[in-house]
């Protein structure tokens, strides 16, 4: 997103009911998922979400009602953000998270789960150690930007409007995305469990071996049932991927019937640290709320350090800090160091403003990927 | 847009850079105090945040770690790598379960076998599993030597980066030792190293060239502390030969009594040595066809040859001295003394001259047979495995028998224990089984399985034999799995529908676990076989 586009979003006028997406399907379906990395809409069952509504007129009325509720919620949230900056962030250290918990509950009532999740995260920032005011301003400002985007939805270009809808937490509009047929290399697959333990989200990162295009496939499972989609890292599957509108074109669904695939036989080509950050920066233009971008980095040398790890370019002096939770380095980082032995490796991971999160690594001269644990 | 804001380096703290710093400051204090607009502030902050995120540049690289030394050994084949990952992951789970064990194999018990087998094949640990392997070795010191050998130089390199794995650097003597052929480096480390390094070095040199180790030791002998002299001398047990005699003979005049005693013990293990000859003359004077007449005193010569003058509390002086003389005398000297009788005949002779002496004599012969590694005498002293344990000729002590067994050739050893188990069951067999080579030879394995089955039929409970069961899981030949499976069926409580089926079910479960473990071991070892060259 260019500066101009950001301002464009920021400067949109107030909410009009007809500005809401006219074809938004019924609420409450397929949106129980947590705010995801790249897409707020957590609908994992594309087929279900895309089914044509039985009664278009009733569906339209429901969508309008929902849009109106979200508009009310957004207006309330804007007020809270304005109060926050008027009174000063300094008061937040004592205020506690209860204020934001309540605000998040209001957003759930307003049927905007994407906003609810952001609000909850905002409330947790003052407890996150030094530098929290800057982080809180960043996140508060991006939430404000999302609110403004929603209120000015009608004036936004189509892909950005889809991104805003998805970030707010509306399910897929049902609009047909781009279909790409390719041989998809599975770069990583990992699960995360929602804070209440009720939903497992499985992220599968793919890259088209022909198109070079990245894709993120999400699958969900209730407690006790792991998500169904199981693609082993390092395999290549021939399949058609349907990309959803918005969210920087990452979210995709694989059309069924792709089989287990074949081993890839070689490590993917990597880029340097500068190009990795450039890719993330370019993607922000499409989706300003993007936390990170999938990147195959390499050749890089993992550099352990007491105050955080780095992945350093094999040639040159550039490095990316490894994103850390602030605690001890997780087991996966030691695996990465062991694979490297001080020599360059190729690493796939998520590259964002918090740093690089390594997920998969290839030892020098070895085509077999190693999925880094935890 | 300022250049500073657009080109922030990744990982730098933010707070005091121009516009952004001002924005954060204003937000911290609140626009209410400065009469600014909250919305304008949020708008500006949004623009700023995105601009900074989109314009991030790489951070400056910290000094890279020194690369790990190369390890030329191959990685194990893919199925074996997967197996190791499973064994390492199962470690925590297997140890956590308390109480009665189910029918699932105990992975924790299989890990040492995997490591040993991989070591025999000359593999190195797969790099991705090094962290889990080091964690396992940290938790279980019994795994350390094999785990660290497998981890190799890459493992040592990794351990140097993580304080949790410091133990590996302490234990990993293999990492820092010079090549035993490199005379200058060996001499330097021998003269300047820490005790542990020097002990490791002496062991390595001894393994390569026993005589060179003695020369190395002699070069600094006079200057060593008494306790170090004792430890170094003790390491000469490995590779002991007649060539060591001059050095050991000189050590008989050492200042330290413990050093003298150790030197004497080592010399007595060399039947051709001058000390062995002197002890033989003394022992032959005391023991013969006419009976046993222990020495009347302990003279200066005996003292020099390592005889301890004062007996432990509760033992007579004369039997104490007798035992030491016989123990240090070469066993070969008795044949002539007893008119050409062999060891079994000599052991069977009634010894006139007091019952106490005969017992002392047999015990000393047992110690001599172990020290001199004499299989003929060991077999004679062990006697028949079927004989009642209380009246065995040499000794009734199971520990002593296990030591005698270790002198027998492998096959003979397994045969003896098999017959012992056949005659006496399993209740006293644990120590003796521990002395046998793994995997157990066919007759021994069958004897153990039969004895377990007999215990089941006799109405015992499997946990009364948990020690033997655990040994069997590790030591039985995997080929026994088929026979065990038949026993599992026999143990099923189906034939016993009454409420008393408990023991049968437990036995069925125990046999199942044993079978599953054996099959797993067979699969595990097969996976480690090198892939055929293409």
């Amino acid at each position: 997103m260019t500066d101009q586009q950001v301002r464009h979003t920021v400067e949109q006028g107030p909410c009009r009911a007809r500005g809401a997406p006219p074809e938004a399907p019924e609420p409450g379906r397929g949106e129980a998922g947590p705010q995801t990395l790249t897409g707020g809409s957590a609908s994992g069952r594309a087929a279900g979400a895309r089914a044509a509504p039985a009664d278009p007129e009733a569906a339209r009325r429901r969508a309008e009602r929902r849009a109106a509720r979200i508009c009310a919620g957004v207006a309330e949230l804007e007020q809270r953000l304005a109060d926050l900056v008027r009174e000063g962030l300094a008061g937040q250290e004592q205020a506690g998270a209860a204020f934001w918990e309540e605000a998040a509950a209001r957003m759930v009532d307003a049927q905007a789960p994407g906003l609810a999740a952001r609000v909850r995260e905002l409330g947790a920032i003052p407890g996150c150690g030094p530098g929290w005011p800057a982080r809180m301003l960043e996140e508060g400002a991006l939430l404000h930007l999302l609110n403004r985007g929603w209120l000015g939805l009608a004036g936004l270009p189509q892909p950005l409007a889809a991104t805003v809808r998805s970030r707010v937490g509306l399910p897929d509009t049902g609009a047909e995305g781009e279909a790409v047929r390719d041989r998809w290399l599975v770069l990583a697959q990992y699960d995360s469990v929602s804070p209440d333990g009720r939903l497992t989200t499985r992220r599968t990162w793919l890259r088209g071996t022909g198109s070079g295009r990245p894709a993120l496939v999400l699958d969900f499972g209730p407690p006790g049932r792991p998500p169904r989609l199981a693609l082993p890292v390092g395999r290549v599957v021939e399949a058609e991927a349907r990309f959803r509108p918005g969210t920087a074109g990452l979210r995709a669904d694989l059309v069924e019937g792709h089989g287990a695939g074949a081993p890839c036989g070689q490590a993917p080509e990597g880029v340097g640290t500068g190009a990795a950050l450039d890719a993330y920066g370019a993607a922000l233009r499409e989706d300003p709320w993007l936390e990170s971008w999938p990147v195959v980095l390499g050749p890089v040398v993992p550099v352990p350090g007491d105050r955080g790890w780095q992945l350093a370019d094999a040639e040159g002096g550039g490095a990316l800090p490894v994103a850390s939770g602030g605690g001890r380095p997780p087991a996966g980082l030691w695996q990465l160091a062991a694979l490297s032995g001080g020599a360059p490796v190729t690493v796939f991971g998520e590259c964002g403003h918090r740093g690089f999160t390594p997920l998969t690594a290839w030892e020098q001269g070895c085509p077999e990927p190693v999925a880094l644990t935890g | 847009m300022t250049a500073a804001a657009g080109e922030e380096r990744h990982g730098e703290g933010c707070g005091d850079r121009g516009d952004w710093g001002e924005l954060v400051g204003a937000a911290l204090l609140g626009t209410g105090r400065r009469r600014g607009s909250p919305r304008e502030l949020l708008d500006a902050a949004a623009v700023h945040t995105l601009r900074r995120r989109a314009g991030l540049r790489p951070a400056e690289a910290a000094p890279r770690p020194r690369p790990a030394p190369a390890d030329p050994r191959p990685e194990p084949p893919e199925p074996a790598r997967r197996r190791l990952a499973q064994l390492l992951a199962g470690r925590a789970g297997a140890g956590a379960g308390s109480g009665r064990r189910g029918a699932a194999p105990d992975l924790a018990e299989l890990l040492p076998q995997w490591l040993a087998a991989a070591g025999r094949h000359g593999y190195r640990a797969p790099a991705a599993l090094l962290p889990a392997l080091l964690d396992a070795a940290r938790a279980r010191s019994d795994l350390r030597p094999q785990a660290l050998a497998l981890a190799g130089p890459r493992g040592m390199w990794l351990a140097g980066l993580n304080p949790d794995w410091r133990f590996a650097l302490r234990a990993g003597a293999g990492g820092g030792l010079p090549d035993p052929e490199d005379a200058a480096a060996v001499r330097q480390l021998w003269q300047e190293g820490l005790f542990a390094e020097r002990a490791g070095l002496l062991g390595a040199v001894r393994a390569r060239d026993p005589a060179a180790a003695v020369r190395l030791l002699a070069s600094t002998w006079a200057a060593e502390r008494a306790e170090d002299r004792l430890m170094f001398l003790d390491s000469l047990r490995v590779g002991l030969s007649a060539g060591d005699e001059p050095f050991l003979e000189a050590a008989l005049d050492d200042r330290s009594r413990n050093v003298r005693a150790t030197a004497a013990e080592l010399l007595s293990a060399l039947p051709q040595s001058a000390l062995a000859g002197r002890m033989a003359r003394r022992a032959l004077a005391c023991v013969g066809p006419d009976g046993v007449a222990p020495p009347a005193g302990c003279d200066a010569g005996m003292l020099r040859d390592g005889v301890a003058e004062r007996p432990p509390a509760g033992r007579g002086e004369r039997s104490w001295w007798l035992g030491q003389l016989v123990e240090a005398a070469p066993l070969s000297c008795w044949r002539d003394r007893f008119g050409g009788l062999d060891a079994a005949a000599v052991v069977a002779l009634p010894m006139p001259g007091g019952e106490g002496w005969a017992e002392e004599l047999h015990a000393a012969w047992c110690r001599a047979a172990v020290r001199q590694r004499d299989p003929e005498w060991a077999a004679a002293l062990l006697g028949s495995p079927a004989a009642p344990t209380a009246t065995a000729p040499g000794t009734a002590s199971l520990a002593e028998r296990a030591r005698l067994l270790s002198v027998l050739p492998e096959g003979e050893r397994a045969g003896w224990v098999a017959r012992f188990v056949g005659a006496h069951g399993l209740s006293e067999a644990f120590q003796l089984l521990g002395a046998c080579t793994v995997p157990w030879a066919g007759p021994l394995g069958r004897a153990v399985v039969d004895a377990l089955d007999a215990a089941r039929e006799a109405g015992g409970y499997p946990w009364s034999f948990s020690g033997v069961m655990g040994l069997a899981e590790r030591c039985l030949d995997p080929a026994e799995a088929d026979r065990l499976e038949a026993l599992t069926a026999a143990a099923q409580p189906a034939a016993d529908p009454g409420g008393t089926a408990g023991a049968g079910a437990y036995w069925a479960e125990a046999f199942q676990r044993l079978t599953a473990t054996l099959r797993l071991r067979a699969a595990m070892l097969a996976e480690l076989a090198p892939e055929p060259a293409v």
Side-chain angles (χ1 to χ4, degrees):
Chain A
M1 185 183 257
T2 62
D3 282 359
Q4 203 170 13
Q5 269 177 306
V6 173
R7 293 218 174 81
H8 185 63
T9 311
V10 162
E11 286 155 15
Q12 289 305 311
C15 182
R16 290 154 296 183
R18 61 187 156 85
E23 73 281 61
E26 60 187 284
R29 192 189 161 79
E31 61 196 24
Q35 175 75 4
T36 58
L37 178 74
T38 50
S41 163
S43 165
R45 301 280 167 264
R50 278 153 198 254
D55 177 356
E57 180 56 24
R60 195 187 58 77
R61 279 200 305 275
R62 276 199 301 276
E64 272 182 12
R65 275 202 301 277
R66 182 173 189 187
R69 293 174 81 162
I70 295 178
C71 279
V74 162
E76 181 186 331
L77 188 53
E78 273 296 279
Q79 192 56 51
R80 284 184 193 249
L81 286 173
D83 291 348
L84 173 69
V85 230
R86 184 178 303 108
E87 285 153 26
L89 299 176
Q92 285 293 309
E93 240 170 343
Q94 285 82 39
F99 173 80
W100 295 105
E101 270 304 320
E102 194 234 327
R106 300 278 298 148
M107 291 307 112
V108 171
D109 291 344
Q111 295 182 328
L115 294 178
R118 280 185 176 272
V119 167
R120 215 170 280 128
E121 279 168 23
L122 194 63
I125 292 178
C128 288
W132 68 265
R135 280 205 297 284
M136 191 157 195
L137 182 59
E138 283 186 358
E139 293 308 320
L142 287 178
L143 182 53
H144 165 72
L145 184 68
L146 185 54
N147 289 338
R148 302 300 310 274
W150 174 265
L151 298 176
L153 204 56
L156 294 182
Q158 198 38 246
L160 188 56
T163 299
V164 168
R165 271 196 298 272
S166 152
R167 289 290 181 191
V168 164
L170 280 175
D172 203 349
T173 60
E176 273 301 318
E178 199 182 344
V180 179
R181 196 163 183 88
D182 204 339
R183 300 181 67 241
W184 300 94
L185 168 62
V186 184
L187 287 171
Q189 173 169 293
Y190 66 99
D191 292 352
S192 51
V193 179
S194 61
D196 61 3
R198 286 170 58 189
L199 190 79
T200 302
T201 305
R202 173 166 295 171
R203 288 169 173 77
T204 307
W205 282 112
L206 306 171
R207 186 158 88 162
T209 53
S211 61
R213 182 166 178 169
L216 173 64
V217 180
L218 296 186
D219 197 10
F220 302 91
R225 191 183 71 74
R228 283 181 310 171
L229 187 69
L231 292 173
V233 171
R235 302 222 130 208
V236 176
V237 290
E238 173 114 40
E240 184 179 285
R242 294 238 172 88
F243 283 87
R244 301 186 176 198
T247 61
L250 274 184
R251 275 294 302 282
D253 299 291
L254 285 189
V255 178
E256 304 267 342
H258 42 73
C264 175
Q266 63 177 52
E269 196 74 13
V271 301
T273 55
L277 287 174
D278 288 347
Y280 171 60
L284 282 175
R285 233 172 277 148
E286 313 282 324
D287 179 357
W289 299 277
L290 202 58
E291 290 285 304
S292 61
W293 184 254
V295 169
V296 178
L297 200 61
V300 284
V301 180
V303 184
D306 295 336
R307 293 172 52 221
W309 288 44
Q310 282 187 337
L311 294 172
D313 284 323
E315 304 284 332
L320 290 182
V322 172
S324 78
R328 292 151 54 86
L333 279 188
W334 289 113
Q335 262 187 311
L336 185 57
L339 278 176
S340 141
V345 285
T346 301
V347 186
F348 169 74
E350 294 161 4
C351 176
H353 62 94
R354 290 173 212 271
F356 190 91
T357 304
L359 297 172
T360 308
W362 290 261
E363 210 175 336
Q364 218 174 15
C366 176
E368 260 178 85
V370 174
L372 305 172
T373 53
Chain B
M1 183 199 284
T2 65
E7 299 207 342
E8 185 189 342
R9 272 187 179 265
H10 214 314
E12 285 176 1
C14 46
D16 59 350
R17 278 183 323 284
D19 301 348
W20 177 245
E22 276 175 33
L23 285 174
V24 175
L28 206 50
L29 294 172
T31 54
R33 299 207 191 167
R34 296 190 176 184
R35 271 177 270 136
S37 150
R39 191 166 142 179
E40 275 170 21
L41 175 64
L42 286 169
D43 285 350
V47 172
H48 229 286
T49 299
L50 279 171
R51 197 188 283 162
R52 285 186 317 110
R53 287 186 182 182
L56 279 172
R57 300 314 308 148
E60 214 166 303
R64 293 167 174 76
R66 203 164 36 88
D71 189 341
R73 299 176 295 171
E75 282 199 3
E78 157 71 14
R81 295 207 296 272
R82 271 205 308 274
R83 178 78 64 190
L84 177 60
Q86 276 171 11
L87 293 177
L88 289 169
R91 179 177 58 87
S98 59
R100 195 167 63 84
R101 297 165 60 196
D106 186 348
L107 296 182
E109 285 303 328
L110 292 178
L111 190 52
Q113 292 204 0
W114 194 99
L115 297 175
R120 284 196 298 275
H121 281 293
Y123 292 124
R124 67 180 147 104
L129 294 177
L130 281 174
L133 186 62
L134 288 170
D135 280 344
R138 182 184 182 218
R140 281 179 63 177
S141 51
D142 63 311
L143 294 178
R144 282 183 194 175
Q146 286 170 337
L148 294 180
L150 205 65
R154 177 78 63 102
M156 291 301 139
W157 174 88
L158 192 64
L161 299 174
N162 187 342
D164 283 354
W165 298 327
R166 286 280 151 79
F167 75 88
L169 304 181
R170 285 195 302 271
L177 286 186
D179 183 342
E181 298 286 309
D182 183 347
V186 165
R187 210 176 317 116
Q188 188 184 0
L189 185 64
W190 180 251
Q191 277 163 4
E192 298 168 9
L194 302 169
F195 174 76
E197 290 170 324
R198 302 178 70 210
L201 179 68
L202 189 63
V205 173
R206 180 76 170 173
R208 184 73 65 95
D209 178 359
V214 175
R215 285 197 298 275
L216 195 63
L217 194 48
S219 70
T220 56
W221 184 250
E224 304 288 354
R225 300 182 311 155
E227 56 263 46
D228 293 356
R229 286 203 304 279
L230 184 62
M231 298 297 285
F232 289 143
L233 196 60
D234 201 59
S235 69
L236 296 185
R237 274 178 210 284
V238 180
L240 188 67
S241 75
D244 301 326
E245 192 184 349
F247 181 78
L248 293 172
E249 185 71 33
L252 287 177
D253 297 317
D254 198 88
R255 297 186 296 280
S256 154
R257 197 175 64 81
N258 286 334
V259 171
R260 291 198 301 270
T262 303
E265 191 200 324
L266 290 173
L267 283 168
S268 70
L270 296 170
Q272 308 301 321
S273 68
L275 177 133
R278 295 194 291 273
M279 292 307 245
R281 277 193 297 283
R282 293 178 186 122
L284 290 172
C286 300
V287 181
D290 305 330
V292 181
C298 184
D299 59 34
M302 282 164 71
L303 284 176
R304 180 179 184 262
D305 285 343
V307 174
E309 186 175 12
R310 298 206 167 270
R315 295 190 59 180
E317 284 182 327
R318 297 184 65 199
S319 82
W320 172 243
W321 296 329
L322 173 71
Q324 294 180 78
L325 297 183
V326 172
E327 179 183 350
L331 287 161
S332 56
C333 73
W334 301 110
R335 180 182 282 265
D336 288 346
R337 185 77 173 105
F338 286 96
L341 293 181
D342 66 6
V346 171
V347 168
L349 281 178
M351 283 291 161
E355 301 72 34
W357 304 141
E359 206 175 296
E360 185 61 48
L361 184 60
H362 277 281
W365 275 334
C366 283
R367 294 195 297 276
V370 172
R371 188 185 290 183
Q372 296 168 32
R373 319 266 343 138
D374 187 321
E376 188 203 345
W377 273 84
L381 289 159
L382 276 164
S384 161
T389 47
T391 60
T395 169
S397 147
L398 288 167
E400 188 82 304
R401 287 175 170 212
R403 279 196 288 276
L404 286 171
L405 276 170
S406 72
V407 177
L408 296 187
E410 285 179 13
E412 219 175 299
R413 201 188 312 170
W416 197 93
V417 177
R419 275 175 286 141
F420 181 91
V421 168
H424 308 293
L426 291 168
S427 49
E428 288 186 278
F430 182 78
Q431 245 177 334
L432 305 180
L433 286 169
C436 294
T437 329
V438 179
W440 288 340
L444 176 58
R446 280 193 292 282
V448 171
V449 172
D450 287 346
L452 284 171
D453 196 38
R456 175 185 67 80
E457 284 192 337
Y461 283 92
W463 46 86
S464 312
F465 303 93
S466 56
V468 172
M469 280 282 193
L471 266 185
E473 284 176 18
R474 271 171 282 152
C475 309
L476 261 183
D477 191 317
E480 290 293 325
D482 291 334
R483 283 189 68 230
L484 273 165
E485 209 147 51
L487 292 184
T488 312
Q492 288 295 351
D496 187 6
T500 58
Y506 294 140
W507 277 108
E509 198 177 76
F511 285 144
Q512 255 169 34
R513 189 182 59 240
L514 193 50
T515 314
T517 307
L518 293 183
R519 294 215 188 285
L520 196 58
R521 268 177 54 207
M524 199 173 91
L525 297 175
E527 286 161 2
L528 277 164
E531 287 157 330
V534 183

